[in-house]
Every structure is written in structure tokens, then in C-alpha cells.
Amino acid sequence: MNQSSQGRARLSVPEWFPKGVALLRDPTLNKGMAFTEDERDALGIRGLLPAHVLSQEEQVARVLENFRQKPTNLEKFINLAALHDRNEALFFRIVMDNPDEMMPIIYTPTVGLACQRFGHIFQRPRGLFISAKDKGRIGNILRNWPYRDVAMIVVTDGERILGLGDLGANGMGIPVGKLALYTACAGIHPTQCLPVVLDMGTNNEALLSDPLYIGLHEKRLTGSAYDEIVDEFITATQRVFPGSVVQFEDFANHNAFRLLEKYRNGICTFNDDIQGTAAVALSGMLSALRITGGKLSRQKILFFGAGEAATGIADLTVAAMVSEGCSLADARRNCWLVDSKGLVVASRTGLVAHKQPYAHEHAPISDFPTAVRTLKPTAIIGVAAVGGTFTPEVLQDMARINERPIVFALSNPTTQSECTAEEAYRWTDGRALFACGSPFDPVTQGGRMHVPRQGNNSYIFPGVGLAAVATRATRVTDEMFMAAARALAAQVSEEDLAQGSLYPPLPKVREVSAHIATAVAAVVYAQGFATVPQPADLLSFMRAQMYDPHYPSYVDR
Ligand code: NAD
């Protein structure tokens, strides 16, 4: 314990704790003008701050005043990023207390725009940038990271950022945003979170010719050269941060599926685009069926898109149907895919492995509206990142076929959404059971207010991550995502359903994540993948792990 310069307050922090300007410049410890009089004396910062001491609540009010005056969402994004770099506790306090307002800025849709403009709005680096030039020294780069307790890594190679395509190293905005949600929504401590971009080059000509593009100005690495970098990275993560969870994010699907298969039985890893999306969509369907009273295994689901999201959702839904007693063959036959070449049918040649289980015997159909009219699905799920494809005609057909059509427009960001909430309700006479990937405002249709909620994996991945980190899990399995889907659906109240909401309100997301983490952790223990003893009360254990952004006191009196 150190004696303060005034001789009254005693430091409650260790000897090595930063002091003076170093403390003010450390975003994980900085409190800005909220440092107390005693702290200012004891930590050598008197005079480095204006005399007035603010409470965290007063700081929140000041930040919100500035934030709300910003004329565009991109400027709001930049404003929050700067706060994140300056004072993490205040940043998380604001995000946690205002999730409806803040999540669309730090995550989809605004993060998509921020990634497109990344080089032009760049102020301070966040996360680790590992490039194709770093072969042989990736472990050393990981050791450059200032925090040693890393437990959750989100990595992208930037090739399929949201529905915006190849944004190269600009894709860093996604791991940064996603990890902010791991902290805000599930309380994983900020210093346990590591965002990484594997800069393999880019095939985006606009970026290659932009002098302010932040990444390698080279075409993408492919083949074994690409695989060697990924392999060196994965090996290094487990050497430098043993047991850390590695979440793959926004890889193009030609890499996403095979990398997941390659690593999922060796380390604690998952691909959120495949598995997290699957769980959030399945959960939405389970909620919709609470309204219609139908059985999951009686649904016929037509996907627009046949990539990571579509086949991930189909695979988990099939597993859930099988758990209801349906045969595997029948369950698969309930799921149909439309890709850029039309309906995926058995006569199509050269289909990649993830589409094959859904290539049923059927005459070819070249377009989605005809597929809807022919197959008469109970649910359509849009995950092709082609905006506006749920046309009035498609929606009217769904409303003719079904009393309560299930319509999920999950593509992100908002520009790629298959339809808006207003369109979904208008063209189905307000009968659609609707969910969307990006946020939409409530819609009044026929005198009733419908409150659409985001079918976004941000409801799922924070809780799954918390469970994996808290139990020090060695694997993440499909059964854990099934448990997450069911736990999320169980958090949807009758009041939510009455207003057409298939997900709980965002302000409940921390409580929801605690329940998801509890359900997932129960599977981690049941499957023998935990490496810490099982606590008696899992829910209390999860709650106790969660980061609290209130400022700690650095002095004792
Ligand atoms: P992906 O690249 O793996 O798959 C895209 C699929 O769309 C491919 O099968 C492709 O053939 C198909 N496609 C492309 N153009 C088409 C067209 N004109 N007609 C029919 N099919 C076409 O991408 P993904 O990971 O599956 O993501 C797709 C979209 O889903 C993105 O917009 C992404 O942001 C969104 N998504 C949303 C969530 C969420 O939580 N809501 C989660 C994951 C992905």
C-alpha cells in the first residue's frame, strides 16, 4: 500500500499501477473527470484535469448530449470509437444503458458503413493487424498485445463483411464491434477480448486503388499460402493465450466451412456466421410457433441464399426437428435452398458439400417467387445479402399460403435487407411473423402496433462466449447452440409475442445472456468439455463473472 501525497488516502491498487498522464491515457483504467480528489492526489494527476469532479452519471449525460448532436450515424460511430479509446468503463456504461440507441451504431448497420470508410475515418488502431507478410512471427505479434488474460478472440480475414463483400483489412471494424458486444451484452471483461484481422490482401479494386486504404495493397493470398498463415495464427493463439476461444467472423464461405471443420475438434472455436446465426434463427422460429401453435417438424422452410447463414440455420433446424422425433431425411426435406442459380435440386451438378443435404428431387426452378408459389413454404428466410428480394408479390403469396407466414429478412446491413418491416406487415395484412437482421422501428398496420425485433446473432454469441470463457471450455459444440436457441426463446414473454416480437427487448440482453450462458454451460459440463469445477448455481456463477462498468475506487480512506 502506498501513502498518498496528502497522507490521508491510501492507494488500493498495486505498486505498478500507472500514475499521472499514463493513467489518463490508459482507457481500461481512466475515469476522466470522475477521478476523486483523493485519487488525484494519490495517483499524481492533480492539475492534469480541470478542478471540477464529475460523477459517472454526469459524464454519461455529457457524452449523450454530444453524441445526439452528431448529424450522421457515421459521426456517432466515430464519437463512440473515440470514447472507447479514451475511457472504456464510460463507453460500456453508455452502451449497456442505451442498447437500442447504441447497438445500431457500434454494430450493424452503421459498422458496415464504418468498415467501408475505415481508412478515411481511421484515428487510432484497435486490435491486432496480422498480415500475409508476418509469416513466421505471428506468435511474437500476439505477445505485443498489452493484456495477458485474453480469453475471447474474434478474427476475420475481411473477405465477406456483413453483406458488403471483400473489405480487406477494413473489416477490423467487425471484430472490434463484436467484442464490444461480448462485453456490453454478456460482460466478458474488455481486457479478455482480442480483435484480430488477418490481412491476406484484398480483391476489392476500389480499395486497392485508394491511397488511404489501411491494408496490404495486394491481391488476396490463396491456397496453401493462405492456410499456412491461418494455421500459424491458430497455433500461436493457443501458445500465447492458452485455452482462448477463437471465433471466426465474416470469412467468405469457401474458407468458413472448411476452417470450422478443420479446427472445431482441436480447439475451442466456432463460426458465428454459421452457428450463431443458426441459433438465433431457430430461436425466432420457436417463438413464432408459440404464436401459431405449429410443430417445428411440420414447417417447410425456404431459404433465399445457400451460404453460411442458410445452411447453418438449416442444419440446426434439422437437428431440432430430429429431436422432436422426425426422421433425418424428412427433416432435411422440410428445408429448401435458393441460390444464385435457382432452387437447389438433386439434378444440379457440382454442388458444394454444405448444400448437398438440401438438394432434393424436384424440377429446377430458376427464381425465388416461383419457388415460393410452387413449394408453398410456411417460412421464408432471407440470407443472400440481396436487398429487396421479398417483393410485395412474394409477401402476398406467403400471406395467401399461410394464416401467419414466417418472414425473416436476416441480411445485413439494412441496405441488403430482403424487405423492410413496414413492407412485411403491409403486404401480409399485418399477419407476418417477422424478424430482421438489422433494426427496424415499430409499424402500425390495421390499427395494431407490431414491434419487430432483430433476428441478429448478437442475442446468441455473447452468452455462448461467456459460457465458454467462464467454464474454460475446450470445445464449442452444435448441442451448445441448440441449448442457446432454446434458452433465448424461453426469454420471450407473452407480452413480447402479443406485439409480434419474436425476441426479448434489447435492454434485457444482459439477463438473457446470463440465461443463455447458463444453458450452454450446462451442456459444456454434460459433454465433459469444462476445465473448471462445476459451480452449484450456474446462473449465479454466470452473473458473478459479468463485467461491471461502474468505476472502481483506487484509494482507501
Ligand atoms: P454467404 O456468402 O455464405 O452466402 C450468400 C449466399 O447467397 C450464397 O449461397 C449465394 O449463392 C447466395 N446468393 C447470392 N446472390 C444471390 C442471388 N442473386 N439470388 C439467390 N441467392 C444468391 O454469406 P452468409 O454468411 O450466408 O451471409 C449472407 C447474409 O446474411 C449477409 O447479408 C449477412 O450479413 C447476413 N447474416 C445475418 C446474420 C444475422 O444475425 N441476422 C448472421 C449472419 C449473416
Side-chain angles (χ1 to χ4, degrees), residues 463-486:
V464 172
L466 175 61
V469 168
T471 62
R472 286 271 155 194
T474 55
R475 300 286 182 278
V476 181
T477 64
D478 291 338
E479 291 75 17
M480 296 174 199
F481 282 97
M482 180 86 80
R486 292 197 165 120

Side-chain angles (χ1 to χ4, degrees), residues 107-108 160-164 178 249-254 256-257 271-274 276-278 280 303-311 313 338-342 354-355 368 382-386 389 409-413 416-418 436-438 454-458:
Y107 205 59
T108 185
R160 199 239 67 208
I161 294 299
L162 302 171
L164 301 169
K178 206 130 196 174
E249 179 69 25
D250 284 4
F251 283 69
N253 73 37
H254 60 96
F257 288 104
N271 181 309
D272 192 49
D273 304 302
I274 301 172
T277 310
V280 83
F303 293 86
F304 185 66
E308 297 170 55
T311 55
I313 299 168
V338 171
D339 67 10
S340 50
K341 298 195 179 98
H354 59 268
K355 297 182 190 178
F368 187 69
V383 272
V386 185
T389 42
L410 299 188
S411 289
N412 288 323
Q416 318 306 110
S417 190
E418 288 73 17
C436 38
S438 292
Q454 254 177 288
N456 192 291
N457 40 24
S458 53

